[in-house]
Amino acid sequence: MILNVLAVGDVVGESGLDCLERRLRSIKRHKDIHFTVVNGENASGVGILPRQAQAIFDAGADVITLGNHTWNRLQIADYLDENPYILRPANYTSRVPGRGWGVYEGPRGLRIGVLNLIGRCEMDCNFDNPFTAADHWVKNGGADVILVDFHAEATSEKGAMGWYLDGRVQAVWGTHTHVPTADAQILPKGTGFVTDLGMVGPARSVLGIRPQQAINRFLGGLPQRYEQADGPCKLNSVCFSIDTARGVCVAAERLDIEE
Ligand code: FE2
């Protein structure tokens, strides 16, 4: 069968959550989506609360992935232990709650593995090597189809991961930068790849926050608590169509909505 997987970029704040709630189900219906993964680490601005995770599930996500802001809202810690459908990066070094890999039941009993990883370029350094962490789960995870959310800053690190896993997983997408990239593609050995999905949040903003606050930071003004920008929202996502018999991605299509 052709398995249509929708990967949705970082949901930013309450307006991003509202946009997801308004738009996700109709995208899934129109594009015949079988499985949906949403990055939720900015649902709280930085971090995510249990009620926001629930709102993402209610909007239509099958699995939530996270990233560098996982622990900005520590209220999520127990929820990560209790709910196997929300993942934090698998390459955290040690004793943190939750899990970074899950296998979920898809159509026709298909075992869909989702791996959440975090990059090390321009990030905190306290992570295991995401490339060797990926090796472990790809080899030992016990899934028929493998999807990877690589939450990373550097386009080079994300590109390298796509090529590193080409032919061994069915899709690799980047998250974190909130800026959608125009390089959705199928790599030579059949892995669907995009450097960054983008985000779900205020369209007229700098990564979701008020432009004036970003400008102030770069002008060297006093630090401010970032506030979410007002105005219309956008939803950035990519649909990966996977031929499950051959284990390859056959289409990678950007699905972007601007309200
Ligand atoms: Fe992030």
Side-chain angles (χ1 to χ4, degrees):
M1 70 172 289
I2 297 297
L3 178 80
N4 291 324
V5 172
L6 187 69
V8 182
D10 311 27
V11 177
V12 180
E14 291 297 331
S15 62
L17 285 168
D18 290 345
C19 178
L20 191 76
E21 189 180 16
R22 279 195 301 277
R23 299 291 180 173
L24 182 55
R25 288 204 185 273
S26 67
I27 296 173
K28 288 175 65 172
R29 208 164 40 243
H30 285 118
K31 292 292 178 180
D32 193 23
I33 300 295
H34 303 99
F35 194 80
T36 302
V37 183
V38 177
N39 190 289
E41 73 138 15
N42 296 115
S44 216
V46 286
I48 184 170
L49 295 166
R51 72 171 171 79
Q52 293 163 335
Q54 195 55 53
I56 293 175
F57 288 128
D58 291 346
D62 293 297
V63 171
I64 298 173
T65 49
L66 299 173
N68 55 306
H69 290 306
T70 298
W71 311 121
N72 283 77
R73 297 281 181 268
L74 282 173
Q75 298 95 316
I76 200 67
D78 288 344
Y79 191 87
L80 292 181
D81 269 341
E82 292 159 7
N83 189 330
Y85 294 90
I86 181 168
L87 303 175
R88 46 80 175 156
N91 55 319
Y92 274 119
T93 47
S94 60
R95 307 180 189 104
V96 291
R99 58 192 70 73
W101 163 263
V103 180
Y104 309 98
E105 188 175 336
R108 301 184 194 177
L110 200 67
R111 295 171 302 172
I112 301 175
V114 181
L115 178 61
N116 190 188
L117 294 168
I118 192 164
R120 300 194 296 183
C121 295
E122 303 291 327
M123 291 280 206
D124 293 342
C125 59
N126 202 20
F127 305 117
D128 286 335
N129 186 313
F131 292 79
T132 52
D135 286 337
H136 171 76
W137 293 108
V138 168
K139 192 173 170 197
N140 304 305
D144 303 311
V145 165
I146 299 178
L147 314 171
V148 180
D149 174 352
F150 189 27
H151 195 83
E153 176 75 26
T155 50
S156 56
E157 193 178 15
K158 290 190 264 197
M161 182 64 81
W163 283 82
Y164 185 66
L165 295 178
D166 183 23
R168 295 195 284 155
V169 308
Q170 282 64 44
V172 178
W173 58 82
T175 55
H176 176 67
T177 66
H178 297 195
V179 177
T181 57
D183 62 339
Q185 63 192 283
I186 299 166
L187 298 174
K189 294 179 183 170
T191 295
F193 174 73
V194 67
T195 299
D196 205 287
L197 297 174
M199 71 170 179
V200 184
R204 295 182 180 180
S205 69
V206 177
L207 315 187
I209 66 162
R210 294 176 189 274
Q212 203 55 46
Q213 291 189 310
I215 294 167
N216 173 68
R217 175 181 173 179
F218 288 104
L219 283 175
L222 282 172
Q224 298 174 330
R225 184 188 167 92
Y226 283 152
E227 293 168 16
Q228 199 173 351
D230 297 321
C233 281
K234 63 173 187 165
L235 184 153
N236 299 135
S237 63
V238 172
C239 175
F240 296 96
S241 299
I242 294 162
D243 181 335
T244 58
R246 294 164 52 220
V248 295
C249 184
V250 293
E253 177 193 10
R254 242 195 190 290
L255 299 174
D256 297 321
I257 292 174
E258 196 144 333
E259 296 188 315

